[in-house]
Amino acid sequence: MASSMPSKKQKKNKKHDKYSLSDLKTLGHQLLSSRAHVNNLPLLLSFITPSTRPKYALESLLSLQSFFIPLLPQLPSSTVSSSFTSDSQGDPEFIYRTWVRSKFDDFVQSLLDIVICSQSDESLREVVLDTLMEFVKVGNGGKFHSAIYYRFLHNIVHSSLEVDDILLELLASKYFKYIDIRYFTYISFEKLSRSIGANDISDDRRERLDTTGVNQPESSLDLSVHKLFHLLSRIPPLEGSDDKAEYDMWNPAGIFTEKENDKGHTGKQCKGESTNIKVLSLANIAKKMKLKFTKAWISFLRLTLPVDVYKEVLVNLHQAVIPYLSNPLMLCDFLTRSYDIGGVVSVMALSSLFVLMTQHSLEYPNFYEKLYALLEPSIFMAKHRAKFFQLLDSCLKSPLLPAYLAAAFCKKLSRLSLAVPPSGALVIIALIHNLLRRHPSINCLVHQEDGNETPKDTTGAESGADDESTEASRPSREMSSIKPSIDPFDDKQTDPLKTNAMRSSLWEVDTLRHHYCPPVSRFVLSLENDLTVRAKTTEVSVKDFSSGSYATIFGDEIRRRVKQVPLAFYTATPTMLFPESDFLGWTFKMKDTDSTTVLDKTSKENDHISAKRSRVETS
């Protein structure tokens, strides 16, 4: 019985069916012509729903927009209209405006319902977006209505819309070019980040960043963070600080303006504004924008980010965020935690951390120990390996590095050359070349004498030698105790100081002279030069080899001009695949007598079988 009762939605649709498109136009004209037809307002509002046909919703929307725009500066605020006093209850004009204000709030909510509905018509959603932004422009007594704009962004972020929805693209492409919209977007995103962080009671997912890439179902909070990051990264930064620069504003009478008669004003007139309004100086605008930009990003980075968003943030942080922060050192906690995670995440955090260390005087005590731990064979197949190798070369460029540290990196890279692809071996040779040239104190690694060739001293220092000579002779005595042909380098040690790299040698590089890949065996010959003479040598550009692969090596070999081309020319026709000289002591040819015997036996057996077959046929 209850199931047969028509629902409210069905009743509303039947009610809407009574009106044609021309009827809606007539209702709209009546509403705009006289206050006597104000009762048409609720009827037109009922057509602003996601389920209404787009033509009907659009016609009602245009009429209502034309009705509300002139009245917005005269309407009371929502807080005043919801709690007006008894003294004002007798004022018919105030009661009317309060009622209109409540209908305007209902209209805005209906527009928000349509714009975040992915099933609604795209052209209708674009018109709704433009209508909402018009209300944002003049809804606060002719000034920017930040409350409506925040509600709009809040509904987008917390809705079920996907990141690639057309609404997000329209908002970024049409409205993020206005500097005042950017300003209030930063303010809104700071509030949204705090609200999302308060609702996120899940475990800290940063500990699970080194997962194997298993795709897990995306939660609503993750989707909100994705959309928040997508919009935040689409906001263009403040372009330069040139006094001749001009910025478009959505509302010329906004927060970046002041009256012309203000004393000491050095601002510039804005595009399309009245003569009694001037824009604040560019320095003041940049200061305000940097402050809001910093607060928005810091609040966002405090969230528990999904793995893909986390990695994308780390990749773009040093270019898209750090240069525009009011104080870039505020990122030091976020970056040091990311750098301590290890693996690919540490590689992506290295760029931003390097910027803070070199340009903003950040001190990170265990930086080189963490950098040393990143040298693994997997790094040579990583996606961002090119940038990592360039940063690695820059980090090891200082001549103030201790010899043991430079030797540890040099030896670790040398050991890795035995387990990496040819493109990785080329990068390693370039890095070792630069290290040997920058740090002459580690050139002993090129030729290290065996332990049995070092002087042994078991009775102590010679007569007349001081304590320093005794201490200096200890490494020789310890090294002499090491058996020849045993490398004292500890490959598993994570502390560069304890690797014993200074007692080892670069024997792995010598094996590269016989590498199967010709570019590697040719390039390693550059290490045979005396790199201690810096006037006769130059550093190798790691950038030329950092993004190499099998395809680049193959392409370079094809384009390479060779003077002598090997030809498959034989003075005599070969009679066998492998000559006997390649397999000394082995014989592959069968003797003639054995082959004749085998052939005779085979022919006799065939004759015997054919004779039996003929007897059977005769019988």
Side-chain angles (χ1 to χ4, degrees), residues 455 457 460-461 467-479:
D457 185 8
D467 294 339
E468 293 182 0
S469 62
T470 304
E471 293 294 332
S473 63
R474 283 181 184 173
S476 299
R477 293 199 303 272
E478 293 177 2
M479 189 171 179

Side-chain angles (χ1 to χ4, degrees), residues 313-558:
V313 166
L314 290 176
V315 170
N316 301 316
L317 204 62
H318 65 288
Q319 292 179 341
V321 179
I322 291 181
Y324 308 103
L325 292 176
S326 58
N327 183 14
L329 290 178
M330 297 177 70
L331 292 175
C332 63
D333 292 337
F334 173 78
L335 291 175
T336 50
R337 285 197 304 268
S338 303
Y339 192 62
D340 292 340
I341 290 175
V344 180
V345 176
S346 296
V347 173
M348 292 186 289
L350 181 60
S351 300
S352 301
L353 197 61
F354 181 76
V355 172
L356 293 186
M357 293 176 63
T358 56
Q359 300 180 15
H360 302 281
S361 304
L362 175 66
E363 295 183 3
Y364 188 39
N366 300 324
F367 175 76
Y368 283 100
E369 286 78 0
K370 298 291 184 181
L371 184 62
Y372 183 82
L374 293 178
L375 295 178
E376 297 290 340
S378 59
I379 201 66
F380 292 85
M381 280 77 76
K383 180 179 180 181
H384 306 283
R385 63 183 183 276
K387 186 64 177 178
F388 170 75
F389 292 132
Q390 297 173 34
L391 290 174
L392 177 63
D393 185 60
S394 300
C395 294
L396 301 175
K397 188 172 290 186
S398 174
L400 301 179
L401 290 179
Y404 80 88
L405 189 61
F409 276 92
C410 195
K411 180 62 181 177
K412 181 70 173 181
L413 291 169
S414 177
R415 182 63 59 88
L416 287 174
S417 66
L418 303 178
V420 298
S423 58
L426 292 174
V427 180
I428 288 176
I429 295 172
L431 291 169
I432 292 178
H433 179 280
N434 293 342
L435 282 171
L436 294 176
R437 185 178 181 274
R438 295 166 186 165
H439 308 279
S441 57
I442 67 172
N443 272 267
C444 59
L445 299 177
V446 177
H447 180 69
Q448 191 78 274
E449 297 290 344
D450 288 335
N452 56 358
E453 296 181 7
T454 57
K456 298 182 180 181
D457 185 8
T458 59
T459 60
E462 296 180 357
S463 60
D466 53 6
D467 294 339
E468 293 182 0
S469 62
T470 304
E471 293 294 332
S473 63
R474 283 181 184 173
S476 299
R477 293 199 303 272
E478 293 177 2
M479 189 171 179
S480 63
S481 63
I482 300 174
K483 296 181 180 180
S485 305
I486 295 179
D487 193 348
F489 176 71
D490 188 359
D491 188 28
K492 305 299 181 182
Q493 181 60 248
T494 58
D495 188 358
L497 182 61
K498 301 177 182 179
T499 56
N500 297 325
M502 290 295 291
R503 303 180 186 178
S504 182
S505 64
L506 302 179
W507 59 267
E508 298 92 347
V509 177
D510 185 65
T511 63
L512 297 181
R513 298 169 60 187
H514 311 285
H515 199 277
Y516 72 90
C517 187
V520 177
S521 59
R522 286 196 303 265
F523 188 37
V524 78
L525 297 179
S526 62
L527 299 180
E528 296 183 358
N529 301 326
D530 188 3
L531 299 178
T532 58
V533 184
R534 305 188 65 178
K536 296 182 179 180
T537 57
T538 58
E539 287 193 1
V540 178
S541 177
V542 177
K543 185 178 181 180
D544 298 338
F545 304 95
S546 58
S547 58
S549 61
Y550 283 106
T552 57
I553 293 177
F554 183 74
D556 292 340
E557 284 296 302
I558 290 179

Side-chain angles (χ1 to χ4, degrees), residues 236-253:
L238 192 66
E239 301 89 354
S241 59
D242 188 7
D243 291 337
K244 297 181 180 179
E246 294 183 350
Y247 298 105
D248 293 331
M249 292 191 182
W250 182 238
N251 188 346

